[in-house]
Amino acid sequence: MVTNKAIQEQRMKGYFIQATKDILKGEGLKGVSVRNVAQQAGYSYSTIYNYFKDVNDLVFVCISDFQQECASFVADQAQSSAPGVDRLKKLVVGYVNFFVEYPGLFELFYLAKVGDFGHKEATINVINSSLDAICEKEWNYCIARGMVKAADVERLKAQLRYMVISLLLLYLNRRFPASYSEFMNQLTIQINAILDNEALSEQTVANSGQGGTLVQNSLISVNIK
Amino acid sequence: MVTNKAIQEQRMKGYFIQATKDILKGEGLKGVSVRNVAQQAGYSYSTIYNYFKDVNDLVFVCISDFQQECASFVADQAQSSAPGVDRLKKLVVGYVNFFVEYPGLFELFYLAKVGDFGHKEATINVINSSLDAICEKEWNYCIARGMVKAADVERLKAQLRYMVISLLLLYLNRRFPASYSEFMNQLTIQINAILDNEALSEQTVANSGQGGTLVQNSLISVNIK
DNA sequence: CAAATATAATGAACATTGTTCATATTTTAA
DNA sequence: TTAAAATATGAACAATGTTCATTATATTTG
């Protein structure tokens, strides 16, 4: 049974969580201070400690919500494209676009230091399987249709994951590549290198470029601040 | 001409830099506070501001030194192996081992937020070309011997870079994979996937594993805390 | 060598962080 | 309505980066 106290407690938590999420999407982690969150939620800063162990705890619970949001964002961008490898590519691009639009969330997912990791296995898992979860349905489709060798799938998933995360890390954190178009060019090259080589439908797209030639991509453009 | 004042200033800077480097290698960025550094150097905390603009400035100048150290570390590990793709693989593994041994330096290289990035282009470049610089000689060797297609080199470099950085990021920051041996297994699989496919000396090493089988690797083991 | 001046080292002080805790306030129970 | 329990609050503490007036040292000058 759900007691009134439990409902009210959840509601209070929700106020702080919502405030934290708004700040994370806007200013990023640096904007999240216990006093800042409390003010936005309309409470005193010390009240937070009646509902959360510490500020890390508060930030941590936002992650699952954001993963959901990311999945919706990506699905929306990819639904129009043809199922199979094509849509797989769009899903990956959508995933990248999400974090380019919300750099603070990339920071939260991959860069944030969180004090005790021991009891947060579940949340960590949400992060680590974030991209895979979004692509899972499409991978299964590709396997069923014989578009990729089943034995290669785990390695390919890993390759995509590694490529995407580093590309975002370097672009958002180290300004490399320097421009958004170069960044997207790199992304396209790498996606094709991973997915076209292994795909049985060997179409060998023009992706040989030395990094100099700009590969045309029909990707959704995203505003960068 | 080098004035006495310049010499003394460089010496003073050196004391603070050395202290900062020691702390970075030991405790990582979280251990670097202006008071902590000053104490280790034997001066008052405020003295630092006579030689460095701020604490970021101090941390920043350590990066070039560490890149040198990393290069030596890697060269030492790879010198015994045969030139060509084989040594290339060892160089990459060595690069990974360096940051596994000094997680604080990985944080510094790839995760650290530094306030103003505008005037630090050179240092940023050291980071971005860090792995490439270490492998450059070997790449040239492979190209000259026709072991890799010259047109593919830039993409392969990028693939290695992205793979290595993410693998380290997830392992050091997100405990994924959970064990060092799994981590090294992943690394081996990915290196082979990138370098064996493209190398003309197509030897197709047994790297088909689904991530379950442990690939034997003769890699230098590294203590993990 | 002594005095004047320039240079450099220092800690007090301020703002901002996370966190704790005794107190004030509000809600619930009798 | 009153007593008790639950909850919201701001004062207080430690640690952070940074600034600045003051102290100490080094250099130059008479």
Side-chain angles (χ1 to χ4, degrees), chain B residues 59-64 119-128:
Chain B
V59 165
F60 231 65
V61 298
C62 299
I63 289 179
S64 297
H119 291 243
K120 303 295 177 184
E121 283 289 340
T123 312
I124 291 293
N125 217 54
V126 168
I127 293 174
N128 289 333

Side-chain angles (χ1 to χ4, degrees), chain A residues 107-114 117 124 127-128 150-152 154-155 158-159 161-163 165-167 169-170 173-176 186 189-190 193-194 197-198 207-211, chain B residues 106-114 117 124 127-128 150-152 154-155 158-159 161-163 165-167 169-170 173-176 186 189-190 193-194 197-198 207-210:
Chain A
E107 198 187 351
L108 174 61
F109 269 51
Y110 294 104
L111 273 37
K113 300 251 166 257
V114 207
F117 258 55
I124 291 293
I127 293 174
N128 289 335
D152 290 345
E154 284 309 309
R155 178 178 50 78
Q159 270 186 275
R161 185 168 53 229
Y162 298 143
M163 183 269 292
I165 294 173
S166 283
L167 209 53
L169 174 66
L170 295 178
N173 232 25
R174 292 288 177 267
R175 309 273 167 91
F176 179 80
Q186 264 295 310
I189 291 174
Q190 294 292 328
I194 294 169
N197 269 351
E198 300 288 335
N207 69 332
S208 64
Q210 187 89 347
Chain B
F106 179 76
E107 198 188 349
L108 173 62
F109 268 52
Y110 294 105
L111 274 36
K113 301 251 167 257
V114 208
F117 258 53
I124 291 293
I127 293 174
N128 289 333
D152 291 344
E154 284 309 310
R155 177 178 50 77
Q159 269 186 276
R161 185 169 51 229
Y162 298 144
M163 183 269 292
I165 294 173
S166 282
L167 210 54
L169 175 66
L170 294 178
N173 233 26
R174 293 288 177 266
R175 308 275 165 92
F176 181 81
Q186 263 295 311
I189 290 174
Q190 294 291 328
I194 295 169
N197 269 350
E198 301 287 335
N207 70 331
S208 63
Q210 188 89 346

